[in-house]
Amino acid sequence: MDNKQTGRIRWGILGTGGIASQFAKDLKFAENAEGVAVGSRTQESATEFAETYSIPKAHGSYEELAQDPNVDAIYVATPHPFHKENALTCLRGGKAVLCEKSFTVNAKELEEVIEFARDKKLFLMEAMWTRFLPPIVKVREWIEGGKIGEVRLVKADFGFRAPWDPEWRLLNPELGGGALLDAGIYPVSFASMILGSKPDKIMSTANIGETGVDEEFSVLMSYPSGKVASLNGAVRLGLTNEAVIHGTEGYIRVPTFLHAKEASLHVAGAEIETFYDDRESIGYAFEIEEVGRCLNGDLKESSIMPLDESLKIMKLMDEIRGQWGLKYPSEQ
């Protein structure tokens, strides 16, 4: 029985690293999904992953996964420099694609992927899982309901102190390492969700480490309306990892906004209102369910994480990196 009859989307996972493992763990919490296949560069790795997460089919290549007739959608879980080709491989196989952030290394690559998906009328979405978490959904409801008046300032940080290993993905330029593409995209995307993705002025600075990638960065963005976003990201520095949205009538605070399990509404003269999420899942299940909702509704993209916004965010990050003079080997 296929997904058209059951409404359950049959998922394949491309890659067997840490983020793929988290995704596989959360599949069981998604009501409209099931994991049916995994693909890796080696049969051994695919088989081990499949056995660990009770996935029926293990493919020894990404191409085999993309051609599997029993797969409806594929989650791309490889490092940034491989996203473009991996996503295109899946799209060429006629699959819906959920691609891990950052979507690609740069906007030029993403334009190619989006153009192909739209030409073939296939679903495509960036895996910005934070947008689908219940506390973040509540934040959007509070703002749209005018609870804090007119939003004027967004502050968001995400950073951690990773161990020193020049060959590791986050510090290796060959693998698209650095804070902006991995950690920094979360505050950048959060600001885009609240304020829009087209600031009229961007000021940024970064600490470029000895491997040639940005270990920490700060960005200040201003918008035509006078609104401001103050954002920070790091892979060698622990940050508060919270987001605060200031409006003319109050503010909203989201502790550890990346994994958000709560959000609080602060309005002058009123009791603090706190929304708590007691989910069992890590949180990837919500973006998985969004893909299923879109596919079952014959939609080619999500209105919550639309492709045009992902592209604008990618262009924004290109501009930020351009201010630092940072290019990856794949861009030379």
Side-chain angles (χ1 to χ4, degrees):
M1 188 173 290
D2 64 22
N3 72 301
K4 292 297 183 183
Q5 295 171 290
T6 68
R8 291 177 66 81
I9 304 305
R10 300 167 300 180
W11 281 89
I13 300 174
L14 190 152
T16 55
I19 197 75
S21 295
Q22 302 228 47
F23 188 89
K25 290 176 185 176
D26 249 29
L27 267 170
K28 67 181 180 182
F29 293 102
E31 294 182 359
N32 59 5
E34 60 181 315
V36 300
V38 61
S40 181
R41 289 173 296 178
T42 68
Q43 187 63 54
E44 180 182 11
S45 177
T47 299
E48 181 180 354
F49 189 95
E51 290 175 349
T52 300
Y53 298 106
S54 302
I55 294 174
K57 187 68 176 179
H59 295 287
S61 75
Y62 300 151
E63 290 75 14
E64 286 181 19
L65 174 65
Q67 297 300 322
D68 188 331
N70 295 312
V71 171
D72 302 310
I74 295 177
Y75 170 61
V76 174
T78 50
H80 318 309
F82 310 117
H83 285 178
K84 184 191 85 166
E85 199 50 53
N86 293 161
L88 286 173
T89 294
C90 297
L91 291 168
R92 290 184 189 117
K95 309 305 183 191
V97 172
L98 174 66
C99 185
E100 189 51 53
K101 56 77 202 165
S102 63
F103 220 143
T104 52
V105 168
N106 55 45
K108 182 180 178 181
E109 290 185 352
L110 183 52
E111 285 174 336
E112 185 178 341
V113 179
I114 291 175
E115 181 180 3
F116 188 93
R118 285 177 170 168
D119 182 61
K120 300 299 182 182
K121 296 180 171 54
L122 293 167
F123 180 87
L124 177 66
M125 188 179 93
E126 180 179 15
M128 184 49 65
W129 67 297
T130 298
R131 289 208 179 185
F132 304 94
L133 299 176
I136 303 301
V137 174
K138 176 57 70 174
V139 166
R140 291 199 295 270
E141 290 176 1
W142 282 336
I143 292 173
E144 290 165 6
K147 296 291 188 179
I148 60 170
E150 182 188 1
V151 174
R152 303 298 302 167
L153 172 65
V154 172
K155 297 189 291 186
D157 302 334
F158 179 51
F160 49 90
R161 182 162 176 79
W164 177 251
D165 180 357
E167 299 303 316
W168 185 43
R169 178 179 69 84
L170 291 183
L171 296 176
N172 188 339
E174 298 284 348
L175 297 178
L180 181 61
L181 291 191
D182 194 86
I185 189 172
Y186 286 108
V188 171
S189 186
F190 188 85
S192 175
M193 179 184 73
I194 303 299
L195 300 176
S197 52
K198 295 182 70 175
D200 61 354
K201 185 181 292 185
I202 303 169
M203 295 172 284
S204 69
T205 185
N207 170 30
I208 306 299
E210 63 180 81
T211 64
V213 303
D214 56 308
E215 295 185 3
E216 302 100 33
F217 76 86
S218 295
V219 175
L220 190 65
M221 300 190 296
S222 62
Y223 295 76
S225 59
K227 298 175 182 179
V228 173
S230 176
L231 315 172
N232 300 280
V235 292
R236 289 282 289 158
L237 184 67
L239 302 178
T240 60
N241 298 341
E242 74 169 8
V244 183
I245 306 160
H246 295 269
T248 54
E249 305 298 328
Y251 68 93
I252 296 168
R253 179 173 177 264
V254 190
T256 58
F257 80 98
L258 174 66
H259 305 278
K261 285 203 169 185
E262 68 176 86
S264 57
L265 174 65
H266 303 252
V267 178
E271 283 191 24
I272 297 172
E273 180 181 343
T274 302
F275 176 89
Y276 294 102
D277 176 19
D278 60 356
R279 66 178 183 267
E280 293 181 53
S281 71
I282 302 168
Y284 295 98
F286 300 109
E287 68 175 359
I288 295 170
E289 289 182 339
E290 170 68 3
V291 175
R293 182 189 71 82
C294 290
L295 292 180
N296 285 321
D298 200 28
L299 301 175
K300 305 309 176 188
E301 60 183 278
S302 166
S303 61
I304 299 172
M305 191 67 254
L307 294 175
D308 285 345
E309 186 182 358
S310 287
L311 182 57
K312 288 175 183 176
I313 291 171
M314 205 75 243
K315 289 179 177 178
L316 182 61
M317 296 200 297
D318 283 355
E319 184 174 346
I320 292 169
R321 279 200 297 124
Q323 292 183 359
W324 311 335
L326 173 58
K327 283 191 174 184
Y328 292 104
S330 61
E331 298 177 298
Q332 304 300 332

